Amino acid sequence: MSKRLIRDALNIPSSEITSESVYKQRRRLMQAALSAAVLPAFAFPSFARAAGYEIPDDLPRYPGPVWLRQKLASAVRNAELSVSDELAPYYHAITHNNFYEFGTDKRDPVRYAQKFKTDPWKVEISGEVAKPGNYNLEDILAPHALEDRVYRLRCVEAWSMVIPWLGFPLAELIKRFEPTSKAKYVQFTTILDKEQMSEQRSSFGTIDWPYVEGLRMDEAMNPLTLMAVGMYGNALPPQNGAPLRLVVPWKYGFKSIKSIVRIHFSETMPETSWNITAPKEYGFYANVNPAVDHPRWSQATERRLPSSLLSPNIVDTLPFNGYADQVAHLYKGMDLSKWF
Ligand code: MTE
């Protein structure tokens, strides 16, 4: 079958067709998604169409539970905090993932996370707060209006994507639970579920599960710091960290922890997974910084996805991933080569 015929059959723009193997991958992806009861495009109206996000009909989308769908549909674009860079095609955002709980290959999360149960979901709020507790996700989200924000995501591995998230500022959530004056840091924890997450069962893994991350309180309160529940106008796909993940666009992607079940406030700096694993390579701060190389590779440039051998699409990495105006003041006087 020629590429043209495939394109016409699937109604996919030529820019997204690369080879017959991509076509086959898409078919497999769609089959996996459908067997996991993910709805096809025509099954529901969503914010995606209103916002003009292109989601080819042959790719799965993730509507989420009914209560979330209603919330997602009423999201509003935050143009002020969105970048105008070209979006990553949806296909790349849902098939090129780091979610080590499901495997270390970029394709493992889309292959193995489709049946991951994300509803019902509880989030524990603990530590230095006036209102600790174990809350249903629906109650956590109830008072928050959702915003659509287009952010750059820069992985420490030197690739990047531009993604439209749906979420709300972490600062608003933090204020609701009333941190005490001792709360200087926030730690986030991903679900520990060996039955569903194959890599958590492995005795040879690199990470000491569950995955944990953390922010200084002023970083957590910065208006850019987002709790995301959706992307491209729909609920988060499981491989992207459903049902609730953090997005901190000026830091390397590993800070943006997925599938969060605990938010803990503490007086001391919390442990973070990659810092425990390789402290010389990954610091607590992990601010995107082209001037400070990773010990094994340069951080001066990045491969902006989609990228291929013939068209690698290499762009300069910007300090704080281009968000210096909003966040550089948080690190005034700090030596960022020491606090990497
Ligand atoms: N969160 C958990 N729980 N486990 C992970 O392996 N990988 C991180 C981050 N959050 C990771 C995680 C890394 S290294 C990156 S670059 C981003 O997720 C990737 O997000 P994406 O797959 O949605 O692009």
Side-chain angles (χ1 to χ4, degrees):
M1 202 180 195
S2 76
K3 283 182 189 172
R4 173 115 191 265
L5 278 175
I6 295 171
R7 191 184 72 216
D8 290 346
L10 296 174
N11 196 18
I12 299 170
S14 56
S15 57
E16 291 200 6
I17 292 279
T18 47
S19 68
E20 186 156 349
S21 69
V22 167
Y23 166 71
K24 284 183 178 152
Q25 277 164 5
R26 286 185 162 194
R27 288 298 298 256
R28 278 200 294 275
L29 184 60
M30 191 60 178
Q31 276 154 7
L34 285 172
S35 69
V38 177
L39 297 184
F42 48 80
F44 62 96
S46 72
F47 183 77
R49 198 169 302 152
Y53 294 131
E54 270 181 40
I55 302 185
D57 285 344
D58 66 324
L59 293 182
R61 58 211 61 208
Y62 302 83
V66 174
W67 63 265
L68 178 60
R69 230 173 292 170
Q70 285 162 353
K71 265 192 107 65
L72 294 166
S74 59
V76 173
R77 160 60 67 88
N78 186 327
E80 205 186 324
L81 294 182
S82 290
V83 296
S84 54
D85 306 26
E86 196 174 327
L87 293 186
Y90 180 68
Y91 175 73
H92 292 78
I94 67 167
T95 59
H96 181 278
N97 300 104
N98 276 335
F99 200 168
Y100 274 35
E101 285 84 338
F102 292 103
T104 53
D105 189 275
K106 295 283 175 287
R107 295 265 164 174
D108 284 342
V110 68
R111 280 192 202 115
Y112 303 123
Q114 297 307 310
K115 291 188 176 159
F116 179 47
K117 286 194 195 67
T118 57
D119 179 53
W121 191 268
K122 285 198 175 264
V123 180
E124 183 191 354
I125 309 280
S126 61
E128 292 293 340
V129 269
K131 297 178 177 170
N134 212 357
Y135 299 89
N136 287 323
L137 182 61
E138 192 174 353
D139 298 328
I140 293 262
L141 291 183
H144 302 291
L146 298 183
E147 291 175 25
D148 175 61
R149 297 187 184 186
V150 179
Y151 279 171
R152 297 182 200 99
L153 174 81
R154 168 52 157 94
C155 180
V156 75
E157 298 161 343
W159 55 263
S160 63
M161 280 197 238
V162 178
I163 296 181
W165 302 104
L166 289 165
F168 60 97
L170 173 63
E172 286 180 13
L173 181 144
I174 291 180
K175 281 183 216 150
R176 264 173 72 206
F177 293 98
E178 299 173 16
T180 70
S181 59
K182 284 190 183 162
K184 302 279 189 286
Y185 295 88
V186 195
Q187 189 190 45
F188 305 85
T189 308
T190 294
I191 191 169
L192 181 66
D193 188 334
K194 292 187 181 180
E195 256 175 51
Q196 295 199 77
M197 298 170 140
S198 55
E199 214 49 31
Q200 291 185 341
R201 292 195 295 273
S202 158
S203 356
F204 304 104
T206 38
I207 292 177
D208 193 10
W209 309 109
Y211 195 102
V212 283
E213 255 310 331
L215 294 173
R216 220 171 54 191
M217 199 61 164
D218 56 350
E219 297 177 319
M221 296 299 287
N222 187 277
L224 283 175
T225 309
L226 197 70
M227 294 304 287
V229 292
M231 58 191 263
Y232 293 81
N234 294 304
L236 279 178
Q239 60 270 33
N240 293 87
L244 179 72
R245 76 174 286 174
L246 184 69
V247 182
V248 198
W250 73 94
K251 292 179 178 281
Y252 291 120
F254 67 83
K255 299 294 288 182
S256 293
I257 181 174
K258 298 177 168 180
S259 305
I260 295 168
V261 290
R262 183 172 180 249
I263 301 177
H264 181 80
F265 296 83
S266 63
E267 194 168 11
T268 51
M269 186 182 275
E271 292 199 308
T272 56
S273 284
W274 282 105
N275 184 246
I276 299 168
T277 306
K280 294 202 172 104
E281 302 190 4
Y282 309 104
F284 173 84
Y285 283 95
N287 293 316
V288 175
N289 192 342
V292 176
D293 286 340
H294 184 278
R296 290 181 281 132
W297 59 84
S298 163
Q299 294 291 23
T301 60
E302 65 205 52
R303 208 162 43 87
R304 174 68 56 87
L305 302 187
S307 117
S308 65
L309 226 48
L310 288 181
S311 173
N313 202 17
I314 306 292
V315 299
D316 284 344
T317 290
L318 300 172
F320 300 105
N321 206 18
Y323 297 95
D325 285 353
Q326 290 110 307
V327 299
H329 67 274
L330 298 172
Y331 311 101
K332 216 170 157 210
M334 283 175 70
D335 176 353
L336 295 180
S337 59
K338 184 174 165 215
W339 299 105
F340 58 89

